[in-house]
Amino acid sequence: DTEGLLRIKEENQKHYRRAQRHQEKKEKIQRHNRKLGDLVEKKTYDLKTQHEHLADLRRIRILELTSVIFPIGEVKTSMRDPADVSSESDNAMTSSTVSKLAEARRTTYLSGRWVCDDHNGDTSISITGPWITLPNNGDYSAYYNWVEEKKTTQGPDMEHNNPAYTISAALCYATQLVNTLSLILDVNLPKKLCNRQGFASCVSLCACCFNSEFCGENLSRHRFMRAVKKLNANILHLCFSQHVNLDLLHPLHTLRNLMYLVSPDTENLGR
């Protein structure tokens, strides 16, 4: 019994010494974890600071881009409400007729159906200048109607007066701006839209140096609408990535959505 007791005491001493070593290792690991925790916290703060600094730089570059090269804004049109004009010419017109005329003015026939558009006829959105605009309601039928009419009619050349060229130019500039914004914001676009430089040595954003789907040959209605849908999808994707207020967006309002995206009031622009 005495010999057994001595053996147990020796084993207990060994376990005690081993427990001390394990305790020392445990304390060492805890100190190492605390150091790593402090380092991770510091790195996280530095990363957050760098993200904020990068967001500020992106925001500055975007505001410079949209104020110098691609300014976007509303262009007011001096159109009078048909209800007002008609009521002045006919004093006997009933109030119901006036209201029906006003309602008709706020309605647009778009892609085979009637849609309500409160801004119809009041404003249009311009890009790069007040002379290059897009309809506020997203109705670009003037373009493919002109293309189809040009194929069937033989008449005097009045292309310089056709609004289809304005629509094409505005969509071309919008495509350039969207692709440039995707590079600045480091956001991959869901739809690939052709817009590449034609000359390797060209470093400017001049429209003549780009080959865009909206510039060059006249597009058929199907190809034109397909390109417009891809452009609208890319713009909405950028708006979602920058947390633009969803109540302001409309899937058909190309330049208006882009205007909300690059607006200085967009709090998360550059994130």
Side-chain angles (χ1 to χ4, degrees), residues 9 17 25 34 39 47 50 60 76 78 104 114-115 145 148 166 168 184 192 195 200 223 228 242 251-252 256 264:
K9 287 183 177 180
R17 290 193 294 270
K25 289 182 179 179
R34 284 194 295 269
L39 182 61
L47 180 62
Q50 291 296 327
I60 292 173
K76 298 292 184 179
S78 58
W114 292 97
V115 295
N145 288 339
E148 295 174 357
T166 302
S168 177
I184 296 177
K192 183 178 180 181
N195 183 20
R223 289 184 57 191
V228 171
Q242 303 305 302
L252 299 180
R256 181 170 290 276

Side-chain angles (χ1 to χ4, degrees), residues 1-259:
D1 292 340
T2 302
E3 292 176 355
L5 180 61
L6 291 175
R7 288 195 300 271
I8 292 174
K9 287 183 177 180
E10 292 177 356
E11 291 179 358
N12 287 341
Q13 290 178 354
K14 291 180 180 179
H15 289 317
Y16 178 74
R17 290 193 294 270
R18 183 179 299 175
Q20 284 184 328
R21 291 196 298 270
H22 288 168
Q23 181 65 26
E24 292 175 357
K25 289 182 179 179
K26 176 184 175 182
E27 293 176 354
K28 185 178 179 180
I29 292 173
Q30 288 177 344
R31 289 194 299 270
H32 182 67
N33 288 341
R34 284 194 295 269
K35 290 181 179 179
L36 286 180
D38 295 339
L39 182 61
V40 169
E41 184 177 355
K42 182 178 181 300
K43 292 293 185 181
T44 302
Y45 176 78
D46 293 341
L47 180 62
K48 182 180 178 181
T49 304
Q50 291 296 327
H51 281 168
E52 294 176 352
H53 179 63
L54 181 59
D56 292 339
L57 287 179
R58 287 171 172 168
R59 184 182 183 89
I60 292 173
R61 297 296 177 263
I62 290 174
L63 295 180
E64 289 177 348
L65 180 68
T66 54
S67 62
V68 178
I69 302 178
F70 295 104
I72 301 177
E74 289 187 346
V75 178
K76 298 292 184 179
T77 56
S78 58
M79 293 181 61
R80 301 184 63 187
D81 196 314
D84 297 336
V85 177
S86 300
S87 61
E88 291 177 1
S89 61
D90 187 2
N91 296 328
M93 179 176 290
T94 62
S95 59
S96 61
T97 305
V98 174
S99 62
K100 289 179 180 179
L101 284 173
E103 181 180 0
R105 180 173 174 268
R106 293 190 297 269
T107 309
T108 303
Y109 188 74
L110 183 59
S111 299
R113 62 189 180 91
W114 292 97
V115 295
C116 181
D117 182 13
D118 292 338
H119 300 283
N120 184 22
D122 293 336
T123 61
S124 57
I125 309 299
S126 67
I127 183 170
T128 70
W131 52 88
I132 301 180
T133 62
L134 284 181
N136 182 63
N137 59 359
D139 182 11
Y140 309 142
S141 58
Y143 178 87
Y144 48 79
N145 288 339
W146 168 72
V147 172
E148 295 174 357
E149 183 179 357
K150 187 178 179 182
K151 292 179 180 178
T152 58
T153 59
Q154 297 292 334
D157 188 8
M158 298 295 291
E159 294 180 353
H160 60 281
N161 291 330
N162 200 292
Y165 278 151
T166 302
I167 294 176
S168 177
L171 292 175
C172 180
Y173 283 128
T175 304
Q176 294 179 26
L177 177 57
V178 168
N179 288 348
T180 306
L181 290 176
S182 70
L183 295 177
I184 296 177
L185 296 173
D186 195 23
V187 176
N188 293 326
L189 298 176
K191 302 295 182 180
K192 183 178 180 181
L193 201 57
C194 177
N195 183 20
R196 60 184 184 272
Q197 284 184 324
F199 303 96
S201 61
C202 182
V203 295
S204 67
L205 291 176
C206 179
C208 63
C209 299
F210 283 86
N211 179 14
S212 173
E213 286 196 37
F214 296 106
C215 295
E217 62 178 278
N218 299 325
L219 300 178
S220 64
R221 177 170 181 170
H222 174 72
R223 289 184 57 191
F224 178 81
M225 294 304 297
R226 183 170 177 268
V228 171
K229 288 179 181 179
K230 291 197 296 184
L231 176 59
N232 286 336
N234 288 340
I235 293 175
L236 289 176
H237 182 75
L238 288 178
C239 291
F240 298 154
S241 71
Q242 303 305 302
H243 292 178
V244 179
N245 187 0
L246 299 181
D247 295 334
L248 301 176
L249 303 178
H250 190 286
L252 299 180
H253 295 174
T254 307
L255 288 185
R256 181 170 290 276
N257 293 340
L258 202 53
M259 182 179 65

